[in-house]
Amino acid sequence: MKICIYGMGGMGSFFKNFFENRGYFVRGYDVVKHKSEIELVDIGSFDVIFLCVPMDKIEEAVGEIKKYADKNALLVDIASVKKPFVKIYEKSGFEWMSIHPMFGPDSEIGLSNVIVVRLPKDERAEKILEEFRKSGAVLSYLSLEEHDKEMSKIQSASHFLLLTLSYYLREWFSDEKLKILSPISLTLIKLASRIINQDWRMYKYILENGEVVREEIIKAAAEVDRLIKEDRIQELFNYLRDAFKNGKNTTIILDSTRTTLTPNSLEELRGYIKTVDSLILRLIEKRVEAGRRIALEKIKRNEPIEVSEVEYFKLKELTSKTSLDAGCVSKIFEEIMSLTKAEEYKVAGVERKVAVLGPAGSFSEEAALKLIHSKLPLIYCSSVDEIVKAVESGKADFGVLPIENSINGTVIPSLDALLKHDVEVFAETEVEVNLNLAAKKLIDFKEIEVIYSHPQAVSQCMTFINNYLPHAEIRYTKSTSDAVTLLDDKSAAIVSENAAKIYRLQILRRRIQDAKENVTRFYVVRKRGGELKGNVTALFFGVEDRPGALFSVLEIFKRRNINLRKLESRPSGIKLGDYIFFVEAEKKLEEEELRELKERTTFYKVVGVFEKIDRLNVFTSE
């Protein structure tokens, strides 16, 4: 979905950054040349066009768009008032959706209200709303008529009151008066200043839309004045309290307003920093409390506490909004996120975290779920090396990595990661692999142009591919579930049934693997230092480059009647023809046996002593 932002003012810039940070192709057009990234004629290549122009320029903008845009483009109206512009959009010939973002260009979308006024049956419109939802926006729905009626009360009333207050204080007010204002008065003055110092044309339609409301407010003011004169203030408060009950946490609002002041002296600057620090602390506490509530929701939904993609987007957005050093800002917020996650794990009762190959729906995830029966402790990684690093660094307590498939043999990246990093294997488990051909929608095999999946999954299904999809291009991904993210209407993915369910794919054909008995074995790893128990020892060793060197090592196992269920060679990485060996010996090797190995090898590294398990304890109650 390619998005054009027509009008690169405040809201235009907001939407451009918003969608760019989520991976969309976005370009901005503006009549002011230095703000524009494209020419007007270029808008014909875009699927969606956001109209982010002043309301008095909407008709002119739609006229220009009609000249150059694709007739199938979706127009997105974001105006604060709807009725004056309905006919303009209806006559344009374009499909259009109408939303009212109830926030400004310098605001955060999280918890902000986005009112959906017109929603066509269009996949692009749904995708836009889904991005808002995922960002924490609160979506509400009003008809065109309801919207303007409600806005006359909500927006027109508040703007009218602030303008009236400002008009009344105009002759009295100066910057010196800021020093004597109460926190509430200061907040009102600051809000009024925000409106007054913006383009008046933004508010023209809003204020004109509220003529009846203004008259009602004037009458209400007279009634309040009468109650005060009659000494019926308590009655007034009691009457209002029945409706306005949400007065909690307003201190944060008032203290936030104080941070908009400009301190002058050294003492004032120190006081200012103290106020900011106190506010930051209270906001971090709020964030952590929100995290605890998120954990309760994730328990209900059985979703992982940690989602790296979400954190990545958060950090990317935050660093894009500041001129401060991006690295330092990222570190600060990574620490805050860690603090929040620690509290979430406590609420969920998770004592140990488990790293798996992601995204959700991978066979690595399936192996972990077989052992822990919950997604809450899972941390999704993009590679086997990342899993092992997470365990080594302490980010995760355990890691689940594929080591061997009954069809394709050893998973080489897992061997390399175990050799390179300092972790130990303490358990293993097995998962039956059933592979399915899936797509975004039901599609005929002859229409499939590309197949996405992990190299091992592809190799396990080559008979099916050669028979039914010989024309399709094969593209490899890091995991089977990773393939899902690349799908379009002319491609398919080879995935597990679980991945197809998670991503709501249509399964075109089940169990397409060549061998119906297809099993993958997984290692479970942890930091070194745990109790070594089990009936299998896994180790690497190297030998001299001479005849009989390998035989002398293998002779130890033969003489001691120790079966090797696995023997693998890997390039040492030092020079061509130099190899190291990996074995799984069906015995927990004793000190004497290891001593003898040391004498006959150039090096050896035991990477684990393990046994098959069917349960892994990660919760505090276990």
Side-chain angles (χ1 to χ4, degrees), residues 92-114:
S92 71
F94 294 105
E95 184 59 274
W96 62 289
M97 73 181 292
S98 183
I99 60 173
H100 184 179
M102 300 290 284
F103 54 86
D106 52 353
S107 300
E108 176 54 53
I109 195 170
L111 279 187
S112 293
N113 193 8
V114 177

Side-chain angles (χ1 to χ4, degrees), residues 259-318:
T259 66
T260 66
L261 297 172
T262 304
N264 295 310
S265 68
L266 179 60
E267 290 74 22
E268 286 180 358
L269 285 164
R270 285 172 174 163
Y272 179 85
I273 288 174
K274 189 175 180 181
T275 299
V276 171
D277 288 345
S278 175
L279 186 60
I280 290 170
L281 178 59
R282 276 179 286 166
L283 290 173
I284 290 173
E285 290 171 344
K286 288 283 179 189
R287 190 188 199 281
V288 170
E289 179 55 36
R292 293 190 188 108
R293 292 176 63 189
I294 286 171
L296 294 173
E297 286 299 314
K298 288 187 173 182
I299 291 170
K300 293 177 189 175
R301 300 183 186 187
N302 189 25
E303 292 181 358
I305 295 292
E306 190 159 332
V307 185
S308 300
E309 294 88 349
V310 174
E311 293 181 8
Y312 170 78
F313 279 123
K314 284 179 183 174
L315 292 172
K316 187 178 178 182
E317 278 190 314
L318 286 166

Side-chain angles (χ1 to χ4, degrees), residues 593-604:
E593 293 157 339
L594 292 173
R595 241 189 336 266
E596 193 172 359
L597 275 172
K598 185 177 181 181
E599 291 170 1
R600 301 193 186 189
T601 59
T602 54
F603 90 96
Y604 79 91

Side-chain angles (χ1 to χ4, degrees), residues 38-61:
I38 57 173
E39 297 295 329
L40 186 56
V41 293
D42 298 327
I43 66 174
S45 63
F46 290 87
D47 309 296
V48 176
I49 302 173
F50 272 74
L51 267 82
C52 301
V53 297
M55 284 185 276
D56 63 340
K57 298 292 183 183
I58 287 177
E59 186 171 12
E60 180 184 335

Side-chain angles (χ1 to χ4, degrees), residues 311-562:
E311 293 181 8
Y312 170 78
F313 279 123
K314 284 179 183 174
L315 292 172
K316 187 178 178 182
E317 278 190 314
L318 286 166
T319 53
S320 71
K321 293 177 180 178
T322 180
S323 59
L324 297 175
D325 183 272
C328 289
V329 171
S330 289
K331 285 179 184 177
I332 291 167
F333 278 94
E334 281 168 7
E335 288 298 321
I336 293 172
M337 288 175 183
S338 295
L339 175 64
T340 306
K341 284 185 291 188
E343 290 297 314
E344 289 184 50
Y345 281 120
K346 282 182 189 176
V347 170
V350 174
E351 194 170 33
R352 301 176 186 90
K353 293 163 277 185
V354 183
V356 300
L357 195 62
S362 68
F363 288 108
S364 182
E365 179 200 62
E366 200 170 316
L369 291 177
K370 178 182 175 183
L371 299 175
I372 63 178
H373 308 292
S374 172
K375 292 183 181 180
L376 289 166
L378 299 186
I379 298 173
Y380 295 103
C381 299
S382 60
S383 66
V384 166
D385 201 59
E386 189 182 336
I387 293 173
V388 177
K389 283 180 180 177
V391 174
E392 191 177 40
S393 67
K395 181 181 178 182
D397 299 278
F398 304 127
V400 177
L401 51 150
I403 188 63
E404 184 177 35
N405 177 261
S406 58
I407 308 296
N408 290 98
T410 302
V411 181
I412 298 302
S414 294
L415 277 190
D416 293 344
L418 288 170
L419 178 62
K420 191 165 49 172
H421 297 286
D422 198 29
V423 297
E424 64 184 16
V425 182
F426 72 96
E428 69 173 353
T429 190
E430 294 177 356
V431 169
E432 184 180 356
V433 176
N434 286 310
L435 296 167
N436 309 278
L437 186 70
K440 291 176 72 175
K441 61 181 182 180
L442 289 175
I443 181 174
D444 195 281
F445 285 177
K446 64 186 179 186
E447 295 177 45
I448 297 173
E449 296 177 0
V450 180
I451 302 168
Y452 294 103
S453 200
H454 186 273
Q456 283 213 342
V458 171
S459 65
Q460 291 167 23
C461 303
M462 282 311 298
T463 300
F464 175 85
I465 292 171
N466 289 334
N467 287 338
Y468 293 95
L469 298 161
H471 58 281
E473 178 189 351
I474 296 172
R475 295 182 188 172
Y476 296 117
T477 58
K478 290 181 179 179
S479 71
T480 49
S481 52
D482 222 16
V484 175
T485 61
L486 301 171
L487 287 176
D488 58 24
D489 291 340
K490 294 184 178 181
S491 60
I494 299 172
V495 295
S496 68
E497 189 163 348
N498 187 36
K501 286 178 182 175
I502 290 170
Y503 298 103
R504 299 178 182 177
L505 301 180
Q506 293 280 352
I507 293 181
L508 307 179
R509 184 70 62 87
R510 298 179 189 276
R511 295 174 65 88
I512 64 170
Q513 67 269 19
D514 299 343
K516 300 311 173 189
E517 295 298 321
N518 188 357
V519 177
T520 296
R521 187 160 61 94
F522 291 83
Y523 278 164
V524 186
V525 300
R526 68 187 175 198
K527 264 185 160 181
R528 285 192 176 273
E531 181 186 358
L532 297 176
K533 61 177 183 178
N535 51 16
V536 180
T537 302
L539 71 149
F540 291 96
F541 65 85
V543 296
E544 293 178 357
D545 186 11
R546 60 176 177 78
L550 176 59
F551 171 80
S552 68
V553 176
L554 298 180
E555 189 273 334
I556 297 172
F557 296 107
K558 177 182 181 300
R559 176 165 36 84
R560 294 179 177 273
N561 200 34
I562 301 171

